Amino acid sequence: MDTSASTLAAPAPRRLRIAIIGAGMAGILAAIRLKEAGTHELVVFEKADRIGGTWRENTYPGLTCDVPAHAYTYSFAPNPDWSSFLAPGPEIQRYFEDVVRRYAIAPLIRFGCAIRSCRFDDTRRLWTITDDQGRDDDFDVVIAATGVLHHPSMPALPGLGEFAGACFHSARWDHGVALDGRRIAVVGSGSTGVQIVSALAGRAARLYHIQRTPQWIMPMPNEPYSEAQRAAFRADPGLIDEIRYGEHYTGLVRRFTRAIIDADAPEMHEIETIVRDNLERSVRDPQLREALRPNYRAACKRLIYSSDYYDKIQQPDVEAVVGAIECIEPEGVRMKDGSLKEADVLVLATGFQADRFVRPIKVRGRGAADLDAQWTPSPSAYLGITLPSFPNFFMLNGPTGPVGNFSLIDIAERQWAYIEQLLAPLARAECALVELRADTLRAYDERRITAARRTIFGSGCSSWYLDATGIPASWPWTYEAFAEQTAKPQAGDYLFTA
Ligand code: NAP
């Protein structure tokens, strides 16, 4: 199999009709790459009226990407103008909008077009995509770039509907609700809750951070870039490359993934020492310190990066409320210990249904194979990309890919380079269908599940990393292993049907 990416750019005997679902980071990437190849007909389906995916949907105060900005950037579209080492959410949204403008992707996008189903027709060897208006369209190839953390998880708290004030999920922020001088309760202590609380401290009259489970916090300074630094980035892109590809960041990623896959690795003990020292050093009141001390290992839940959370939580106007919620009452949050945290605004930073991926879109593959059934109880995909019985159907950031404390853009770019190589024989009309072999996924899952049980994610805590059977769903090997395995598709892993 000729897998060189350049073959896609060569004059193709076959012009493929390709559907991309989602105009977030990954869908934009696929659209740019396919448009550059110039040989195929593309349609990008986007249910909203703007691009941006997670960066469009999350607009909460304090939203910041905790991956260094120069690493959370397309490799082909560096941005010398990031305002700080870690970029704020609105700036990332503007970056994607700017990239879409520069690469003239918008005309390819059908906005306001939610896809209801994708059905593969064995006879015609085409995918029929149906939108929520009932309109059908046929494609040779489907690229699902529907995101990971997309569907808000609403907590089943008794009385939630009775709350008298404003109440919304963190990913559905109501910017019409005044915050200054109000009493605000934030439920949830994941990355989102911690960022919101850090941003609202000092603004609210009273701020409650309600946490069922406290988190380990890794300090991560976030310095603004000066105009002189930005000018230097503009003049010398090598300086950007140093941040993105240099030893400091890549070494961090390497050490982190080694720690994740081997809970006894020295790298993991290093992380544990840092987060423990951070807690000891930063929280003065011994009672609060003990309340905020997690009873599980660092990085079992996604590690939280923050250099100001512990300071903010100790401000007089802020209260860390560690414990379970009994119910929501019209006046506020009733805790199991009987106390009532009175609030005007209730923010649910309660995370996402992380196992949905392409769903609720109904996907029917060869022989009417049902994606939902295949993914019950838990979803999987080879390298987070392909599935048996779903020919010419590819995912970006699908299940079992590396989601964690590093750049999902980098992961998507690697997956895209892999997909491009699988599209090449289709474009050369050497075959009509490319489909993952069932035994490839079976063998992959066997290895993956064995390795996943040994990762830090499986060391005894609950988190969105765990699938419905309690097995960590994230990539359980090193970052280098992912780079290696996605570098070149192995012909033996796939069926190529003429
Ligand atoms: P999350 O990590 O899933 O955290 C959800 C929080 O809500 C947890 O503290 C959970 O408590 C709590 N919760 C859920 N149901 C509850 C209930 N019924 N009662 C009380 N508490 C409840 O969600 P997230 O903070 O939105 O973060 C999700 C992921 O988004 C992150 O892990 C990260 O990958 C990504 N993210 C990234 C950034 C970034 O800077 N790159 C920023 C934000 C988010 P328990 O722990 O007890 O279950």
Side-chain angles (χ1 to χ4, degrees):
M1 170 187 179
D2 181 351
T3 53
S4 68
S6 60
T7 46
L8 195 62
R14 189 165 169 223
R15 184 174 164 80
L16 300 170
R17 246 193 133 231
I18 302 181
I20 299 170
I21 307 178
M25 172 278 286
I28 294 168
L29 164 71
I32 290 173
R33 289 311 203 194
L34 285 167
K35 182 170 182 270
E36 278 175 344
T39 45
H40 304 299
E41 190 185 337
L42 303 181
V43 180
V44 183
F45 294 97
E46 171 52 59
K47 68 178 175 188
D49 58 0
R50 286 200 310 151
I51 62 103
T54 198
W55 302 105
R56 177 194 62 229
E57 307 222 331
N58 285 278
T59 58
Y60 61 77
L63 173 65
T64 307
C65 181
D66 60 16
V67 173
H70 286 296
Y72 195 81
T73 310
Y74 295 123
S75 58
F76 52 86
N79 175 21
D81 295 318
W82 290 122
S83 64
S84 44
F85 181 66
L86 306 176
E91 204 175 316
I92 299 173
Q93 173 68 15
R94 282 198 300 279
Y95 167 76
F96 286 120
E97 285 170 359
D98 182 51
V99 169
V100 164
R101 224 177 352 262
R102 275 195 280 151
Y103 287 82
I105 294 305
L108 301 173
I109 307 176
R110 285 190 201 162
F111 287 105
C113 194
I115 300 305
R116 206 164 54 195
S117 68
C118 303
R119 293 181 321 276
F120 182 69
D121 183 327
D122 290 277
T123 317
R124 293 189 303 143
R125 295 180 162 184
L126 288 174
W127 282 94
T128 301
I129 287 193
T130 307
D131 70 13
D132 57 354
Q133 310 289 311
R135 290 173 299 207
D136 288 344
D137 209 342
D138 289 341
F139 294 90
D140 299 297
V141 172
V142 177
I143 311 289
T146 47
V148 185
L149 299 169
H150 183 48
H151 302 286
S153 171
M154 297 298 284
L157 293 169
L160 190 56
E162 313 302 315
F163 183 63
C167 173
F168 45 82
H169 187 273
S170 55
R172 298 285 180 273
W173 198 272
D174 184 345
H175 290 277
V177 173
L179 301 170
D180 295 303
R182 313 286 300 281
R183 299 165 305 172
I184 304 173
V186 177
V187 179
S189 56
S191 304
T192 304
V194 164
Q195 290 187 344
I196 293 171
V197 166
S198 303
L200 294 186
R203 285 184 63 185
R206 188 94 197 125
L207 179 59
Y208 298 106
H209 191 191
I210 297 175
Q211 35 198 300
R212 185 164 65 182
T213 318
Q215 292 264 19
W216 289 111
I217 312 272
M218 172 70 76
M220 172 84 129
N222 182 18
E223 295 298 327
Y225 286 125
S226 65
E227 188 38 52
Q229 280 172 303
R230 286 196 288 270
F233 288 138
R234 261 174 248 129
D236 179 5
L239 295 173
I240 294 177
D241 289 351
E242 247 168 60
I243 296 173
R244 185 185 178 109
Y245 303 111
E247 179 51 30
H248 181 74
Y249 175 64
T250 57
L252 212 71
V253 169
R254 258 198 326 273
R255 289 198 301 282
F256 188 75
T257 56
R258 254 184 246 140
I260 284 172
I261 64 167
D262 176 5
D264 294 322
E267 289 86 352
M268 182 46 78
H269 294 306
E270 196 190 328
I271 291 172
E272 287 177 318
T273 305
I274 297 171
V275 296
R276 203 178 319 110
D277 286 354
N278 189 27
L279 176 66
E280 305 295 349
R281 207 181 43 245
S282 310
V283 182
R284 294 177 297 275
D285 173 15
Q287 220 175 327
L288 178 62
R289 199 186 308 134
E290 287 324 300
L292 289 177
R293 191 186 298 279
N295 62 0
Y296 54 89
R297 294 189 65 183
C300 183
K301 289 172 181 281
R302 184 189 188 272
L303 201 54
I304 303 224
Y305 287 107
S306 174
S307 279
D308 60 357
Y309 174 71
Y310 282 144
D311 285 347
K312 298 290 173 97
I313 201 77
Q314 292 174 88
Q315 288 184 5
D317 51 318
V318 186
E319 187 183 328
V321 183
V322 181
I325 296 170
E326 174 70 30
C327 64
I328 306 296
E329 296 182 4
E331 298 75 28
V333 181
R334 177 74 65 187
M335 302 300 295
K336 280 250 193 275
D337 68 6
S339 63
L340 177 68
K341 307 301 170 190
E342 289 182 68
D344 309 301
V345 181
L346 176 59
V347 176
L348 304 170
T350 45
F352 299 85
Q353 300 171 54
D355 67 347
R356 298 288 86 196
F357 295 97
V358 185
R359 295 174 287 184
I361 298 172
K362 295 243 169 287
V363 187
R364 289 291 176 99
R366 200 169 38 72
D370 179 0
L371 184 75
D372 194 35
Q374 193 155 318
W375 279 358
T376 301
S378 51
S380 181
Y382 186 51
L383 308 172
I385 303 173
T386 45
L387 288 162
S389 304
F390 295 84
N392 295 4
F393 183 90
F394 306 94
M395 283 172 282
L396 288 165
N397 287 316
T400 79
V403 287
N405 293 77
F406 38 80
S407 172
L408 270 189
I409 297 189
D410 176 62
I411 302 304
E413 285 195 17
R414 290 182 184 284
Q415 290 177 322
W416 180 254
Y418 180 96
I419 294 170
E420 237 174 22
Q421 297 174 67
L422 291 172
L423 293 180
L426 296 175
R428 288 195 301 268
E430 289 168 8
C431 62
L433 301 176
V434 50
E435 178 185 345
L436 187 72
R437 297 174 65 105
D439 51 358
T440 309
L441 184 62
R442 237 184 341 262
Y444 168 78
D445 271 341
E446 260 172 41
R447 286 191 294 124
R448 180 181 67 77
I449 289 168
T450 307
R453 289 187 205 276
R454 287 199 292 261
T455 61
I456 195 72
F457 308 135
S459 65
C461 69
S462 73
S463 81
W464 65 265
Y465 286 143
L466 302 182
D467 69 19
T469 67
I471 293 164
S474 183
W475 180 258
W477 300 289
T478 58
Y479 174 81
E480 293 96 312
F482 185 76
E484 253 166 52
Q485 290 180 43
T486 49
K488 188 173 186 321
Q490 301 304 309
D493 288 346
Y494 288 89
L495 299 166
F496 298 89
T497 311

